[in-house]
Structures are given as C-alpha cells and as structure tokens.
Amino acid sequence: MKANKYPFYFIIAALVALVLGLVVGFLAGIQYVLPTFIKEILPFTVLRPLHTLFVISWIILGATGVIYYYLNTASNAFLYSSKLLKWHFWIFMATGLGLVVAYLCKNFEGKEYIEFPSYFYFPIVMGWVLFGLNYIKTVLPGFKKWPAYYWMWGTGIGFMIYHFTEAHLWMLPYFRAHYIQNLAIQWKAGGSFVGAWNMLVYGTALYVMAKISKDEVYANSNKTFFFYFLGLANLMFGWAHHIYIVPTAPWIRYVAYAISMTEWVVLFSIINDWRKRVTPANKKDYPFAYRFILLADIWVFLNVFLALLISIPAINLFTHGTHITVAHSMGTTIGINTFILLASITYILESKASFAAIPAIRMRRWIALFHNSFIGFWVVLLLMGLKKIYWAQVTPTVLFSQLQDQLYSIHLLFLLFGTGILVGLVGLVYELLQKIKSIDHSSTEG
C-alpha cells in the first residue's frame, strides 16, 4: 500500500465511524420512544457508550487524517516516517475493533466516556506517541516560523497523551482510595481531553481558512495566537466548570468561571474577519469547504451563548446532568467539530487537480437536511432539559415514569429530527467516499 494513501485511510475510517455513531444514536433514540426496542440485544447501557465511542473516533480519526495529509503535502515539511504512520493506523484500527467487541460483550471496566477495559490504555497511548514523534520530527526544522496551526496540532497531541493518561489514574490504589480526588481528576481529564482534540480540529480550521483565502495572515496574526493561548488556557483550566458540585478549592471555581466566559469568542471573531477578506474567486474554488466553515461559525455563536449560561454556577446547579448539557456537547461535537472536519475533508477533495467536481445540487440538499434537522434536534434537547429542571424543582412528587410519559411527544420530535440528521449525514458521507475513491493516489500533491 502506498504511504500517501494512509491519510485517506484515516479519513475513510473516520467517516465510517461517523455513520456508525449516527446509526447507534438513532437506535438509542428509538428506545426513548419504545423503551423495549431491542432492549435484550442492545440495551441503552450498551448503545450510549458505543455512540460516544464512534463519535469521538470520528473526531479523532478525522482530525488525524487531515493533519497527516496536510503534513504530507506541505511544501516545507514532508512527513518524517511513513512506517510510523502505518503503525499508527493499524494500532488504532485493531484497538478500535477491540473496544467495540468489549462494549458489545458488556465489558465495562473504565470510567464515564472511556468505559472500556483499562488495558486498552496502552495501545491507544502508543498510537498517540507514534503520532507525536512523527509530527515533531516532521515540523521541528521550521520551529521558529511555526504558524499557529502547527502549535495547535503539537499542543493537541501532547495534551491528548497527558490527559488520557490522567483519565486512567484511577487504576492506582491511591486514587481508588480517595473518592473526591478520583472524581475531580476524572472529570478534569474528560474536560481537558475535549480541549485537546479541539486543538487538533480548530488547527485544521485555521489551516483551511489560510489556504482558501491564499493568505497566511490568519495563521500568523496576533489575534490568532491570542486565540491559541486562550484555547490553551481553557484546555488547562476551563474543565473546572464541570466540577462546581465537587468540594474543591474555591479559586479553582473562580478561574474556571472566568475562562469559561471567554470560550470560542476569539474563534468567532477570526472567522468573521476571514469572511470579509475571502474573494469571490476563493469561494468559487472551494465552495463546500467555505460553506462548512460558515456553518461552523453559526454553531460557534450558538454554543458560546449556551456555554456562557451553563458556566454560571447558579445556572449550572440546575442544568448539570440534564439534556441541556447534552445540547452543549452536541453543539460542540456536531455543530462545530463536525462542520470543521467536513470543511477540512472537502477542502482536500476540492484542491485535488485530478478530482471531478462534487455534485453541487445533491450536496446542498444533504447539507440542508442535516443542518435543519440538527437545529430542531438541538432545540428539542433544550426543551427536554428545561422540562426535567421543572420536574425536579417544581413538581418533585411526580414520578420519573410519569415525566417520561409527559415527554412522549417531545421524544417523537427527538427521533424525527435525529432521523433527518442520520439521512443527511449519510448522504454527505456517501458523496465524500465516492470522491475519495476516485482520487489518483499516485502523487501526494493536489
């Protein structure tokens, strides 16, 4: 197999993981409406971690694939080792298959979001170490002139290793014996883990913006580096707004609150500045990559608004653990990360010299179905969260089963909009996979 195919193997695996995540999420949505649906075969306790696994895999594999591709085609940085790239891919594929089997066998030995058996920690970290070694060996010669996205990718890889390790400290006897420290570190690691992959994803956004506009100002400006350091601070400290209810030192809450108030604001500003400087010719060359970046910008704005609200301790007290938190998570993973990754993938396809044009009409229809359905889905999640808050605070004597009965019509909407997301994204993935299949891999250059 040609080494320059492997970035596309990562991208293909990511797109397949996205579809599987959607299908599993759809099955879980049916169980909201029909609680006994395939309950004996795939109960919600299995569907939820599987959905999480596939969606996280989509983000991580997608970001990894496009970063490898960008490094392998950059004029000043050819990939250090094709062998390390191949090892990274096959370690992740084998490990991913093992995780799926573990979940299907109901082998849950880990913690929230990483419920898989702890021995999977070792191959996963090994894959990240190989990625980090390959990355730093590739870009180190130009260290003094690194654009912001090189810093973001390097930081993201380093912190993925650190925080994934931190998330497994519960294996040590000390942390198992101290519940409060164990709980705080676990939630801290989870929040920072998201911040680390955001570094990878947002770095690809800056790369695509610079290449579409043919202007590296976005990758080297003071505002962009300020955004990088803001994101770094959020990665390192912003996690604490997840543990307001844990008895920790007050200063941790204050720092977390202050940083949470700045989340994504600068990214929103950078994208808006970029929009003003992109020429009609730039838009014509990369129509879908440009469109996906704009859609991501919309969700940055919406998620900033929601994040600011739920980061306020007095509000967080009521929203924590409700579907409002899920809406925030979905707004990040689908509204921001997914649109940015779709922008990165379509940029690669639109930049290939031997690549036939993406079918515009079908793509627009799939995008419209997906995006409009996701808006409805997001609103329904907020309604479900508000309903649960009202039930817990105003009508606590009402049984939870009665609450579920009251939510039946909302659950139907939840399933309806989820179906729209599934169909729209599957259509998009099909179009992208068809175009990836048609690419001539005889050269790494577009």
Side-chain angles (χ1 to χ4, degrees), residues 399-417:
L399 298 176
F400 183 75
S401 59
Q402 293 175 305
L403 171 67
Q404 291 298 95
D405 292 338
Q406 295 171 11
L407 288 172
Y408 184 77
S409 59
I410 296 179
H411 287 163
L412 284 175
L413 288 174
F414 178 79
L415 182 60
L416 175 65
F417 289 124

Side-chain angles (χ1 to χ4, degrees), residues 370-392:
F370 161 44
H371 189 236
N372 292 333
S373 298
F374 183 58
I375 291 172
F377 187 83
W378 191 71
V379 171
V380 168
L381 285 173
L382 294 177
L383 290 175
M384 291 167 67
L386 291 172
K387 185 68 176 178
K388 185 175 181 181
I389 293 171
Y390 182 83
W391 166 73

Side-chain angles (χ1 to χ4, degrees), residues 237-303:
F237 303 107
W239 52 266
H241 75 258
H242 293 289
I243 61 168
Y244 284 147
I245 61 175
V246 179
T248 53
W251 71 266
I252 294 178
R253 298 189 182 94
Y254 300 148
V255 171
Y257 178 64
I259 290 176
S260 294
M261 293 298 99
T262 65
E263 265 187 326
W264 301 308
V265 172
V266 178
L267 176 60
F268 179 73
S269 174
I270 290 172
I271 294 177
N272 273 282
D273 289 347
W274 170 76
R275 288 173 59 185
K276 297 172 184 177
R277 300 186 62 171
V278 173
T279 67
N282 298 147
K283 298 177 188 178
K284 185 178 180 181
D285 290 339
Y286 306 98
F288 289 107
Y290 178 79
R291 181 186 292 260
F292 283 129
I293 289 290
L294 295 189
L295 290 174
D297 194 34
I298 293 172
W299 284 100
V300 168
F301 174 77
L302 291 174
N303 239 35

